[in-house]
Amino acid sequence: MKKLTALFLALLLAVTVMPVASMAETYAEDDLVTVTFMMNENANQTLLQDTIVLNYIKEHFGLDIQIMAIPASDFSTKLSTSFATNDIADVTYGVTTANIGAFDLEYMLVNLMDYADQLPNYFGLAFDENNPTRYEATQTFMSTNSEGEDAMYILHKMEYDRVDIAPISAIRGDLLDELGLERPTSWAELYDVMLAIKEAHPDVYFFSSRAGAQRILACLAYGMGSGGFGTFDTIGIYLEPETDTWTYGPTQESFRSVVQYLANAWQDGLVDPDYASNDANNLWEKISTGKVVYYNDNNSFISRIFEPAFTSAGNDDWYFELLAPLANDYTPTRTLRYELDWSDGVAISKDCPALDRVLALFDWMYTDEGARVMNFGVEGESYYIDENGNPMIVDEIMESTAGAADQYAAINSVIGTGIWGMAMYIDEGIYRQIYGDLFFEQGDIIRGWTEEGLIDYKYMTPAFTLEEQEEVTELTMELQTQFDSNIDAFITGTRSMDEWDDFVQEQLDAGSERLEELYNTAYKR
Amino acid sequence: MDGVLKHKGSSKVRLSTGDRIFGLVNGFFLVVLLLLILLPLVHMLAVSVSDANLVLRGEITFIPSGINFKCYEALLGGSEIPRAYYNTIRYTFFGVLIDVAMTALCAYPLSRPNFYGRKFFNFFVVFTMLFNVGIVANFMIVFQLGIKNTVWAILLPTAINVYYMVIMRTFFQNIPEEIYQSAYVDGASDLRIFGQIILPISSPVIATMFLFYAVSHWNAYMPALLYLDHKELYPVQLILRNIVISGTVSDNATTDTAFMTQGIKYAAIFVTIAPILCVYPFVQKYFTKGIMVGSLKG
């Protein structure tokens, strides 16, 4: 027994002397200041502590950044707990207006409006009147503090130079060529084209999804003159540009047409029977093997996955053709692309040491020089300038990351750069060394359609007050649950479209009009 | 009446037609159940070691092709996973020792009929099983104790699982009272009775507790998520969970890599469950026995 007791005590002692990360902060007023950055770590991009970018910041800003890398899959839980317990890092990435609305953060976070003079570059971009889309987006980050003053607690991520991408219709052009079909210009024409292809190739399908009915609706509804579930939203409310009001899509007459269109498609065998259960991998497999021949989702997958897959399988003549936004029966021709900029950003704790240095760092990130360093690293170390004046990642890093599941992320991981790193003003130039020409050609096409006014940027959710946010969350959950549990039944005919009015009434009873009211109040404010 | 079941020796038991049909149906059902569990694992294993292009074309179901171990290399290549594995092993090892010790020390007095305030303490302990204070309150306790970002934040808050404690308490209660009385007559103290008499004859329930707690520590990610901020201390589950949940096709994936992500996800699942799969068959007998003795007689 004595031996057992001794063994147990020895083991306990061993636990106590196991290496434990120190929480002690080294703080030197005139020298290097340690600051903690809580960041969400994407599964593909490991956040490293010893990178070219972190060393650059240490040298130029006197900040020793300690990264708290929180797995992205559970970041929201960690973030909520941190805010709820007032145990936040000096700087927190991945904060959204919903977080600001859900917690009383006024006493925890720096109000950036109080430091506008130290953030000239950020505010210059955020309130650039020559960029009305961004100007409007910035408004969604504005709120009012308890003293009735303007407040802004998030420095939001912005685009510096991105390849244009959008969820957009694309159809197998080789099948149109084979059957001598005209390129459709309206949703009605598209339906006829699909029927013609189905007749010649009975085994193919057109509508499928990587995330159920919502994903199909996200890509179709707005383009068909209705709206809701925009890009990755899980709720049917959207900003209707025709009326400049937030509108709950599913209760609109135009939305019935969208569901009817899909219900008809189901009856005609145009919808993949597995659409509700597919994940991305299933869908990519079906498209790559020619089982699904119409695609309406992030266009970049066409150039990055589908067309190379066609080639590798010996189907060189297969190709996807982007369709210009299709005419609908309700509004001018339109479709929706992802937001300009991002809906999340950085919040700074009021207890952040060396606040001046931290603000200077973030303001610098919104300059040309800052964007270059935060997206490419340091010239001569991680990139060089090619004959066209473009920054190119050095061969050593390209070779060391070749074969990674996501080379773009792997490169950024090594250097400490990019959207999933610490960059706030995003330049996606590294894509030049990874993807083929088609990726950029399609980007130019989408940019052209955007400039023609055929494609709208996704709206930003307005900032709510604490009370509004609580009610919005409650209503959203109820409406979403009700919608999700019924929509597949209407598409697959289990529930007749004759009952659609009843369903609309159910949604109205569940508070869709109140939700609209809350959104519009916040939007106008 | 023509079926025959052979027993040891020469005795034979004839099976009725009903028994034979039942045996066949039962066997068929168990085979189907086995396949339902086994085939997804075989599929995942096949995908994780096959060529990504073949996976993309849907050519991989249960038999791997273009065999390579890129996914496992990508998963285990860096220092992160091995370090996290090491963390998980030490959390599991020391966690189990602490958990079993604390659970036994709690269960033993609560099993004694003459323990002062036994009903109150039983109620007090079981109450925490029914009404949890929630994440924030637990976080505040860990934070105020000053053990956040230390291994103690992982080891101490989960030291006693009330459900397991009840199982152990029930086991102790079913040990014949005469054993205690004879020990008392011989002048043994409660501590000596517990250490030298009760624990040695409680090996089934202790083995079960070891396994329960080991599985629990092995799978745990939430305490690490809440109480640890530094990757150096993360257990493997926290990192692999991120890969499995977030690791669908990356937004930056290409044809060559899109299904490598899928393979990595599957490889991560195998890396996670492999140790449990290896250990479980050897301790299964204790597992079942311990549960039965701890619950049925209660």
Side-chain angles (χ1 to χ4, degrees), chain A residues 2-115:
Chain A
K2 282 179 183 173
K3 284 180 184 173
L4 273 176
T5 309
L7 176 65
F8 180 66
L9 291 174
L11 289 170
L12 276 180
L13 184 65
V15 175
T16 61
V17 297
M18 280 188 291
V20 174
S22 170
M23 277 294 285
E25 301 286 354
T26 54
Y27 185 87
E29 286 287 347
D30 303 320
D31 202 346
L32 205 57
V33 179
T34 299
V35 284
T36 52
F37 277 39
M38 187 167 103
M39 304 176 68
N40 47 351
E41 185 174 59
N42 185 287
N44 292 297
Q45 181 170 331
T46 305
L47 295 172
L48 303 173
Q49 190 60 58
D50 183 24
T51 62
I52 292 168
V53 165
L54 285 181
N55 290 332
Y56 182 93
I57 291 171
K58 195 181 285 183
E59 188 180 328
H60 290 78
F61 291 90
L63 292 170
D64 178 18
I65 295 172
Q66 294 298 309
I67 294 177
M68 295 161 53
I70 310 302
S73 56
D74 295 294
F75 184 75
S76 60
T77 305
K78 179 79 174 184
L79 191 63
S80 300
T81 311
S82 299
F83 284 145
T85 55
N86 194 9
D87 178 42
I88 59 172
D90 298 325
V91 172
T92 305
Y93 274 69
V95 183
T96 65
T97 53
N99 299 132
I100 301 295
F103 297 96
D104 192 3
L105 301 177
E106 181 181 337
Y107 305 101
M108 231 182 280
L109 301 177
V110 166
N111 179 2
L112 302 170
M113 303 302 283
D114 296 338
Y115 297 91

Side-chain angles (χ1 to χ4, degrees), chain B residues 241-255:
Chain B
R241 181 181 149 83
N242 196 27
I243 292 171
V244 172
I245 291 180
S246 311
T248 51
V249 178
S250 162
D251 287 344
N252 301 311
T254 61
T255 308

Side-chain angles (χ1 to χ4, degrees), chain A residues 209-515:
Chain A
S209 173
R210 55 171 157 150
Q214 272 193 10
R215 190 77 201 139
I216 300 181
L217 293 166
C219 300
L220 258 61
Y222 190 83
M224 295 180 82
S226 186
F229 311 98
T231 60
F232 294 103
D233 285 357
T234 53
I235 184 68
I237 198 159
Y238 73 105
L239 183 62
E240 174 53 62
E242 294 298 298
T243 55
D244 195 29
T245 54
W246 283 87
T247 307
Y248 188 72
T251 55
Q252 307 304 306
E253 186 58 27
S254 52
F255 201 89
R256 176 207 293 268
S257 302
V258 180
V259 181
Q260 185 70 63
Y261 191 90
L262 286 171
N264 293 343
W266 176 271
Q267 284 190 335
D268 289 329
L270 305 179
V271 180
D272 174 11
D274 303 325
Y275 82 89
S277 58
N278 282 338
D279 63 9
N281 294 314
N282 301 137
L283 179 58
W284 296 174
E285 182 187 316
K286 288 183 177 183
I287 291 174
S288 300
T289 51
K291 289 172 191 153
V292 172
V293 297
Y294 168 81
Y295 174 73
N296 193 330
D297 206 327
N298 182 338
N299 71 287
S300 68
F301 285 109
I302 294 172
S303 58
R304 293 189 283 121
I305 292 184
F306 308 147
E307 303 238 349
F310 294 162
T311 306
S312 83
N315 298 312
D316 295 317
D317 55 334
W318 291 9
Y319 71 96
F320 265 108
E321 185 164 323
L322 292 188
L323 298 175
L326 301 165
N328 68 74
D329 296 336
Y330 295 93
T331 64
T333 300
R334 70 187 193 184
T335 196
L336 198 65
R337 60 180 291 174
Y338 303 112
E339 300 93 334
L340 176 75
D341 303 334
W342 286 264
S343 54
D344 69 306
V346 159
I348 302 170
S349 165
K350 280 191 170 174
D351 296 330
C352 178
L355 183 60
D356 288 353
R357 291 188 198 182
V358 171
L359 290 172
L361 168 67
F362 278 104
D363 194 54
W364 166 79
M365 287 190 195
Y366 292 92
T367 64
D368 289 343
E369 180 190 279
R372 179 62 61 87
V373 173
M374 298 308 294
N375 290 287
F376 297 94
V378 176
E379 188 173 0
E381 285 188 58
S382 54
Y383 76 90
Y384 63 94
I385 302 295
D386 73 357
E387 62 276 13
N388 300 316
N390 295 318
M392 306 293 276
I393 300 301
V394 296
D395 291 345
E396 187 187 349
I397 294 176
M398 292 302 295
E399 286 162 12
S400 70
T401 55
D406 181 340
Q407 192 181 9
Y408 179 80
I411 292 168
N412 280 303
S413 175
V414 171
I415 310 173
T417 47
I419 178 75
W420 293 331
M422 286 166 47
M424 298 298 294
Y425 200 23
I426 309 300
D427 185 337
E428 296 178 335
I430 293 176
Y431 283 143
R432 277 189 290 269
Q433 289 169 270
I434 299 175
Y435 301 141
D437 293 339
L438 183 61
F439 180 68
F440 298 94
E441 287 164 13
Q442 289 191 344
D444 290 341
I445 291 171
I446 289 168
R447 182 168 294 186
W449 287 338
T450 305
E451 287 167 358
E452 283 178 47
L454 296 173
I455 303 181
D456 300 332
Y457 279 103
K458 165 89 185 298
Y459 34 82
M460 291 273 196
T461 304
F464 299 106
T465 63
L466 272 174
E467 294 74 23
E468 285 172 344
Q469 184 66 54
E470 278 177 23
E471 197 174 351
V472 163
T473 305
E474 202 171 301
L475 287 169
T476 299
M477 281 178 67
E478 189 163 352
L479 287 163
Q480 188 182 327
T481 306
Q482 195 178 68
F483 185 87
D484 289 348
S485 54
N486 282 281
I487 190 62
D488 289 316
F490 282 112
I491 292 174
T492 59
T494 312
R495 191 171 175 186
S496 166
M497 282 303 291
D498 295 339
E499 295 178 31
W500 182 257
D501 287 338
D502 298 335
F503 175 64
V504 168
Q505 190 57 50
E506 289 167 27
Q507 292 270 277
L508 289 167
D509 294 342
S512 64
E513 289 176 326
R514 174 62 182 153
L515 189 69

